[in-house]
Amino acid sequence: MSPSTSPRFFTEREVARHCTTDSCWVLLGTRVYDVTAFLRMHPGGEALIRSRSGKDISRVMEGPPHRHSENARRWMEQYYIGELDRESGAHDAQVLRERRTASEQTDEKTAQNVKTVDKEDEISPFSKCSPVDLDKDLVDWRKPLAWQVGHLGEKYDAWVHQPVDRPIRLFGNPLLEAGTKTSWYWVPVVWLPIVFYVSWHCYTTMAQGTSSVHITSDFSIPIHKYSFPVFFLMGWFLWSFIEYCIHRFVFHMKPPAHNYYLITLHFLLHGQHHKSPFDGARLVFPPGLASIVVGVFYMTLHQLLPDIIGLSMFVGGLCGYVVYDMIHYYLHYGSPKKGSYLYDLKAYHVKHHFEHQRSGFGITTTFWDHPFNTVIPDEKF
């Protein structure tokens, strides 16, 4: 709802009726929020919100057990739809109807003005998303963002860590823009056949009994076929460390405020994901871009280790990458069962987005956060 639009008024009975997955409303004091679109995203699960639908959640937001961050409260405002009229009843139903009629007329005039001012935005998918104050925001959301964010300077870090629920357009060129997006299913479609084939190749090669590690010219250690799972898991474990390092030291580098190019690079690599964490088209790596990292990973192992060992560890790491991307997507859009490993991981990751951006870098596991002292404090939802 635009700040210039008059709020709509709802009775308590009306708010209480919206308590299903198709329409779920909650209250913060007298402010009414339609959180239907947020149900699947909530780290505490859909049931927690539905159990409080139609009720005032002010005390829940404050905690205990979990005090919601300022970013979470700012995110909440995107679902604001109106005000609660506690005094309305049967005797003043006519007044309430008049208020609604006036509010709807104001909304209609506002929409007509927007269409007149900017016809391009009328057909843009952005116009259907949760509102961003187009007049006050630091960037122009009607234009591609990639070449704008570098000008934010010292304001960039605070801006990029204030998430919004709307998609981002990075580039004006349609082909370039399409190259930055992908659906989640392309990750297993492209990479799993390679994982299966290389795994089969490594195992069958070891099964021939001709593979060995040469220690000296006169001494070598044979490689048994049953050692393949060991090397495979070593590669997977190595990937989990690489995943942590990339997320912490590359994706979460803090670019110098005066460096336009590093700010732009950071936004393209990961900043856009923190600004719009539920943009489903950018939750996994496009295979073309991922192939660069995969290629570097393969060449490094190939140079450092004997062929069959390096290849076995490589395919284990590649499988770990596929699992990483699938888990990352699920942490944003899945609804894991409360008490499960993925439930805790989802809560952990959402806290990373909304409250602890400088910690909680593990995605598939929190293991590496412990030795590097970047664990997010434990809080129950």
Side-chain angles (χ1 to χ4, degrees):
M1 182 176 293
S2 170
S4 61
T5 304
S6 300
R8 296 187 178 186
F9 290 88
F10 304 94
T11 65
E12 290 181 330
R13 181 176 296 180
E14 284 177 303
V15 174
R17 283 203 300 263
H18 294 269
C19 57
T20 67
T21 55
D22 296 323
S23 183
C24 183
W25 294 7
V26 295
L27 296 166
L28 269 177
T30 60
R31 296 172 68 82
V32 183
Y33 299 84
D34 181 355
V35 294
T36 309
F38 184 67
L39 288 177
R40 290 184 61 196
M41 306 176 194
H42 185 239
E46 178 181 316
L48 273 180
I49 298 183
R50 285 193 57 193
S51 66
R52 298 176 173 91
S53 58
K55 302 174 184 177
D56 189 348
I57 61 170
S58 300
R59 296 181 66 180
V60 175
M61 293 289 285
E62 287 295 329
H66 173 68
R67 187 180 187 279
H68 290 70
S69 66
E70 290 304 314
N71 272 336
R73 295 167 187 274
R74 191 180 294 111
W75 183 278
M76 185 77 170
E77 290 307 310
Q78 297 175 111
Y79 304 109
Y80 171 73
I81 58 173
E83 297 288 330
L84 182 68
D85 193 337
R86 296 185 184 278
E87 298 178 357
S88 62
H91 64 283
D92 60 353
Q94 181 62 34
V95 174
L96 183 59
R97 283 195 295 269
E98 290 175 357
R99 285 180 179 175
R100 287 187 190 147
T101 301
S103 178
E104 290 167 359
Q105 289 174 348
T106 303
D107 288 349
E108 184 177 352
K109 290 178 180 178
T110 302
Q112 290 174 350
N113 290 336
V114 170
K115 292 178 181 179
T116 302
V117 172
D118 192 352
K119 291 184 178 180
E120 182 180 348
D121 196 50
E122 176 186 351
I123 60 174
S124 168
F126 296 167
S127 62
K128 301 177 182 178
C129 302
S130 295
V132 170
D133 194 328
L134 299 178
D135 297 323
K136 295 182 179 180
D137 203 272
L138 298 177
V139 298
D140 187 349
W141 286 85
R142 300 181 186 92
K143 300 177 181 179
L145 299 188
W147 313 126
Q148 298 186 59
V149 294
H151 297 295
L152 294 180
E154 62 185 14
K155 297 179 181 179
Y156 169 75
D157 190 66
W159 175 85
V160 82
H161 289 121
Q162 294 175 4
V164 297
D165 189 12
R166 76 181 273 139
I168 285 174
R169 185 175 184 89
L170 293 176
F171 302 104
N173 183 285
L175 291 178
L176 197 57
E177 176 70 6
T180 66
K181 298 180 178 181
T182 190
S183 299
W184 68 267
Y185 51 80
W186 282 113
V187 174
V189 165
V190 170
W191 297 114
L192 282 185
I194 298 176
V195 170
F196 293 140
Y197 174 77
V198 177
S199 296
W200 173 82
H201 170 75
C202 291
Y203 181 79
T204 54
T205 299
M206 291 179 180
Q208 294 174 5
T210 59
S211 300
S212 60
V213 178
H214 294 277
I215 306 301
T216 66
S217 57
D218 300 323
F219 180 71
S220 62
I221 301 175
I223 301 176
H224 197 276
K225 64 181 179 180
Y226 294 128
S227 63
F228 169 71
V230 176
F231 295 128
F232 184 93
L233 291 176
M234 287 173 62
W236 194 323
F237 184 73
L238 177 61
W239 161 256
S240 70
F241 177 67
I242 294 173
E243 166 198 315
Y244 174 88
C245 290
I246 291 176
H247 192 191
R248 178 179 179 180
F249 299 111
V250 180
F251 290 170
H252 278 275
M253 66 173 177
K254 190 171 182 179
H258 63 275
N259 196 312
Y260 171 89
Y261 298 102
L262 280 181
I263 291 176
T264 302
L265 178 63
H266 177 267
F267 187 71
L268 293 177
L269 287 176
H270 197 62
Q272 47 84 16
H273 174 55
H274 268 262
K275 188 62 181 176
S276 182
F278 294 101
D279 186 349
R282 290 196 173 94
L283 286 178
V284 298
F285 279 98
L289 297 176
S291 63
I292 298 174
V293 178
V294 171
V296 171
F297 184 55
Y298 169 77
M299 292 303 298
T300 302
L301 292 177
H302 179 71
Q303 293 293 323
L304 295 177
L305 300 170
D307 287 347
I308 196 64
I309 294 179
L311 194 58
S312 299
M313 290 185 63
F314 163 75
V315 73
L318 182 58
C319 185
Y321 158 70
V322 174
V323 173
Y324 150 77
D325 247 354
M326 293 300 92
I327 285 182
H328 183 231
Y329 186 89
Y330 186 77
L331 295 184
H332 283 263
Y333 276 105
S335 297
K337 184 178 179 181
K338 187 172 184 178
S340 66
Y341 175 74
L342 287 175
Y343 178 91
D344 293 336
L345 208 57
K346 179 181 176 75
Y348 189 81
H349 188 61
V350 172
K351 283 191 286 184
H352 164 74
H353 271 280
F354 284 84
E355 193 169 1
H356 299 276
Q357 294 91 354
R358 301 300 177 191
S359 57
F361 300 110
I363 304 296
T364 56
T365 175
T366 63
F367 175 83
W368 294 106
D369 280 315
H370 292 273
F372 290 101
N373 198 30
T374 55
V375 179
I376 296 177
D378 185 33
E379 293 175 335
K380 300 297 183 182
F381 283 90

